[in-house]
Amino acid sequence: MVRTTDADLAPHELRVLVAVADTGGFSAAAGTLGLTQSAVSHSVRGSERKIGAVLFERGRTGARPTPAGEKAVTHARRVLRLLDVLAVEARGAARSDAAEGPLRIAAFRSAALHLLPPVLQRLRARHPGIEPQVRIVREVGRGTAGEVAGGKADMAIATLSGSVPLPSGLVASGLFEEPYALVHAAGHTAPRSLPLVDWAENCGSYTRDWWATQDWIPKATVEAEDDGAVLSLVSGGHGMAIMPALSLAGAPHSVEITDLGSRRPTRWVGYVTTSELAGSAVVRALVRELRAAVPPGVKVPDRETSGARAESRT
């Protein structure tokens, strides 16, 4: 018989920690959970006593996780998600397909716009019990992989690199390699003479070395919020841009796309999930559909690049 100890945190205590972190205060968390503020405070104090660390900084403006609290909340999110998966897959064990329930996906903008829609359509058709929830996350800082690491997503569509280590407990696999191209207003006779339009997410290590050797590329004079805004500015004749294939999917006829040659830069796009969720039915179902949906003009790996690492942006 397995016994719990006084040091074990119960699921309801984990939910309280997550609610306080998400809402920024004990009162707000109480309202979310249907508890009294004193019950939330008592639960947090109990968790802090069991863990042996202060988890939240209390103040007049609310409660903010300490470094120990950030770690605790991250693990709490992941444990609670595994408990959900446990219940769903145990109930479906007698059936041939237990792929059902919520599936939280984080994706950068161009992947959400041009890669995921047909994937989710097929996923819903084959597994009507799956409930995809997609959040668009800027691929800067911790990016989409950071959402998985923080327990806020089950899987991320991410840009991958061989040089940046994944956060602990995550696994990644490459889906395809997409080339970069020069894009400019259609009909322009000297596109390389135009000013450069760029955006913050377009600065990965996969382009940096190539970029440094291209003396014809000027410093960006316009930095847009995202790749959609870049295309709009380029279409209006305000400059040129160097963009990856996904960002150019469905580009308007008012722009022209020019190949950058055999030494053009490329980037790997893949997925990131946790080692615990990698074998879950919902994640495996999504992976199958992602691998079947290869955008045109990209390279598919000969084998799974499971050692790939998520690109960290600055």
Side-chain angles (χ1 to χ4, degrees):
M1 180 177 181
V2 178
R3 296 183 178 181
T4 60
T5 71
D6 290 340
D8 291 331
L9 268 65
H12 71 270
E13 292 175 301
L14 301 180
R15 293 188 180 92
V16 169
L17 296 181
V18 171
V20 173
D22 287 346
T23 63
F26 288 12
S27 296
T32 298
L33 296 169
L35 301 173
T36 64
Q37 181 178 347
S38 61
V40 169
S41 298
H42 178 76
S43 178
V44 171
R45 286 196 302 271
S47 296
E48 290 177 327
R49 185 173 60 254
K50 291 177 180 181
I51 292 172
V54 175
L55 302 180
F56 293 95
E57 294 178 354
R58 283 81 158 171
R60 286 181 294 180
T61 58
R64 184 174 61 181
T66 63
E70 292 281 2
K71 288 282 187 182
V73 169
T74 292
H75 286 295
R77 287 195 178 101
R78 289 168 69 165
V79 169
L80 290 171
R81 180 62 179 126
L82 285 177
L83 290 175
D84 291 340
V85 171
L86 180 155
V88 169
E89 297 202 357
R91 287 195 301 268
R95 304 194 305 272
S96 59
D97 184 6
E100 60 181 40
L103 175 59
R104 304 169 303 162
I105 306 164
F108 56 91
R109 181 184 179 277
S110 57
L113 288 178
H114 306 300
L115 175 64
L116 279 181
V119 167
L120 295 182
Q121 185 176 18
R122 288 195 301 271
L123 184 71
R124 286 191 176 101
R126 291 187 173 95
H127 306 280
I130 293 181
E131 305 161 14
Q133 302 166 4
V134 180
R135 292 180 59 241
I136 297 178
V137 177
R138 297 192 74 197
E139 197 70 326
V140 293
R142 287 164 56 85
T144 58
E147 297 295 293
V148 177
K152 297 179 180 179
D154 303 324
M155 177 186 282
I157 308 301
T159 52
L160 305 179
S161 167
S163 60
V164 181
L166 281 171
S168 176
L170 301 192
V171 294
S173 184
L175 293 168
F176 55 85
E177 185 181 20
E178 57 175 340
Y180 278 72
L182 171 65
V183 57
H184 52 88
H188 199 286
T189 56
R192 295 191 177 203
S193 66
L194 290 168
L196 179 68
V197 183
D198 208 359
W199 79 105
E201 293 172 85
N202 196 31
C203 62
S205 62
Y206 37 71
T207 60
R208 195 173 294 120
D209 293 343
W210 176 87
W211 208 286
T213 65
Q214 309 302 308
D215 55 9
W216 60 275
I217 302 180
K219 184 177 180 180
T221 54
V222 179
E223 186 167 296
E225 180 66 21
D226 55 45
D227 52 354
V230 170
L231 268 181
S232 179
L233 289 165
V234 169
S235 176
H238 299 290
M240 64 170 178
I242 311 295
M243 305 183 73
L246 268 183
S247 295
L248 295 173
H253 296 299
S254 53
V255 302
E256 188 173 329
I257 299 169
T258 302
D259 193 292
L260 289 169
S262 60
R263 295 187 177 181
R264 63 194 176 188
T266 63
R267 72 173 180 180
W268 278 100
V269 174
Y271 68 85
V272 177
T273 187
T274 66
S275 54
E276 304 94 348
L277 288 174
S280 67
V282 288
V283 167
R284 286 188 288 108
L286 178 58
V287 169
R288 285 193 295 270
E289 298 305 331
L290 284 169
R291 294 206 175 281
V294 179
V298 302
K299 177 183 176 183
V300 180
D302 294 331
R303 59 182 178 85
E304 287 194 3
T305 55
S306 57
R309 300 177 177 188
E311 180 72 67
S312 177
R313 304 305 191 88
T314 57

